[in-house]
Amino acid sequence: MAELRPPDTIPSNHFHTAAVGSGDDAFWAWRDAVSPLFDVALPSPDAVDTFAAEVRSYHPGPILFASVAASAQHFRRSPGTIARNGINHYLVQLYRQGGFHGDANGRSVAVGPGDVSVLDMALPLQTRAQTFENISLVIPRRMLAPLLASPDAVHGTVLRANSGAGALLRDHLTTLYTQAPDLRADEADALMQGTVALMGACIGPTADAREMAADDIRAATLVGIKGFIEGNLGAPSLNAERVCGRFGVSRPTLYRLFEPYGGFMRYIQERRLRRCFTELTSPHASGQRIADIAQRWGFGNEATFSRAFRRQFDVSPRELRHAAARSGGRPGHAPSHLGGASRWNTDSLIESWLMSLGDS
């Protein structure tokens, strides 16, 4: 189902087989969901009894970006599947748990935890996957191929967890996925371009990829700083001096990186406001005073917090809490009957995203 989140963030979707049942129902729902990419089968008939899968996906422009966790299964992309849907994108996957082994158009492939694999969806593939969790990006060929020295020869490439390129991509993709729920639509394009450039530099660079490396390093630094901010939002010591010391950048560089967000401190304030938004819509925090929630996330004055919150979300903290309580809402989700709720996008579905991938 599509998730309700603040309006300026990229579209997202959450799919879980538990929502459609178990056993056969769960597996067939999963099979239908991934059919534009793969034909799937279970390793044994009785595996259907315990089958489960979950996908949390984001759609920043032409790229599909997802966290996937699923039971053991076999994946197959045959010439018939390729001809049927016309998808010829690249699939880049970071395996956080589990892995797979198989054949990528005649090339033997084995992937384990921490490895990054590159698959060309224009070519046949057969794999046997263990129970796994990965971060997957489906990338249009037109974006990545120009950055590769041999764009038609990367099918089955594996960047090992203990390699420099593999570690760089692993850290970048992990941080990027952590930030994805709050990634704004107006920043997604540049960040995805930087991510693709980093992939080109790691997988098999052309001169163009190397020329883009400096810009990509800046993008990767920004992602790292955002991750640090996210982990320290409640700390009074979160300031420019601390961040500069942590990442070895000057104040002017830090301020330039955050210019598109209205400035460094403005970005921190917005992130703190979003944390408050999540807690105010959570039933678990219903007994906490608004002032205490605000103080926990760095706002020492409740009146100042309320004004900033209304500017950000077009609703006061108290109004949001009351509306969430009436609707039984979920943390971080705007109640559908709340004034201004049309600002939350609920239209994107995973099926339409997968179909849109046909534009390579």
Side-chain angles (χ1 to χ4, degrees), residues 123-360:
L123 297 172
L125 174 76
Q126 294 189 62
T127 66
R128 296 172 178 263
Q130 313 159 20
T131 296
F132 67 89
E133 178 185 346
N134 69 34
I135 294 175
S136 296
L137 285 87
V138 184
I139 305 169
R141 201 175 198 86
R142 59 180 167 77
M143 293 181 68
L144 184 55
L147 307 179
L148 302 175
S150 302
D152 297 324
V154 298
H155 191 41
T157 295
V158 179
L159 303 177
R160 297 298 175 194
N162 59 359
S163 69
L168 181 61
L169 266 184
R170 179 193 65 226
D171 291 347
H172 180 75
L173 295 179
T174 299
T175 304
L176 184 63
Y177 181 76
T178 301
Q179 296 297 310
D182 301 303
L183 185 62
R184 295 201 320 242
D186 60 0
E187 69 182 339
D189 184 63
L191 190 52
M192 289 300 106
Q193 291 283 353
T195 298
V196 172
L198 178 60
M199 290 179 179
C202 291
I203 295 167
T206 62
D208 288 341
R210 288 190 292 271
E211 289 171 6
M212 294 175 69
D215 288 339
D216 181 67
I217 289 171
R218 285 191 288 270
T221 300
L222 178 60
V223 170
I225 292 174
K226 285 183 175 182
F228 180 78
I229 290 172
E230 202 67 24
N232 293 275
L233 279 174
S237 61
L238 181 59
N239 54 32
E241 182 179 1
R242 185 179 176 191
V243 171
C244 288
R246 173 67 174 77
F247 288 89
V249 298
S250 66
R251 280 178 181 264
T253 297
L254 178 66
Y255 295 154
R256 282 195 298 272
L257 286 172
F258 282 87
E259 278 180 359
Y261 309 97
F264 174 71
M265 291 309 299
R266 175 59 183 167
Y267 176 81
I268 290 177
Q269 182 186 67
E270 288 186 357
R271 295 302 311 126
R272 286 172 166 165
L273 287 170
R274 287 174 185 262
R275 287 293 185 95
C276 293
F277 182 102
T278 298
E279 292 202 13
L280 288 168
T281 54
S282 170
H284 302 297
S286 60
Q288 298 180 31
R289 297 192 312 145
I290 291 176
D292 291 339
I293 292 174
Q295 187 171 38
R296 181 160 58 250
W297 295 112
F299 296 95
N301 183 286
E302 186 176 4
T304 300
F305 163 70
S306 294
R307 287 194 294 270
F309 193 94
R310 182 178 283 280
R311 282 196 302 269
Q312 183 73 16
F313 299 113
D314 291 341
V315 63
S316 75
R318 197 170 304 279
E319 290 168 344
L320 177 66
R321 167 170 272 184
H322 289 165
R326 289 196 304 271
S327 67
R330 293 172 294 155
H333 295 247
S336 60
H337 62 279
L338 186 64
S342 62
R343 297 175 60 201
W344 275 260
N345 182 358
T346 63
D347 297 328
S348 297
L349 298 173
I350 193 168
E351 291 84 358
S352 63
W353 290 352
L354 289 174
M355 291 306 296
S356 75
L357 296 176
D359 180 15
S360 62

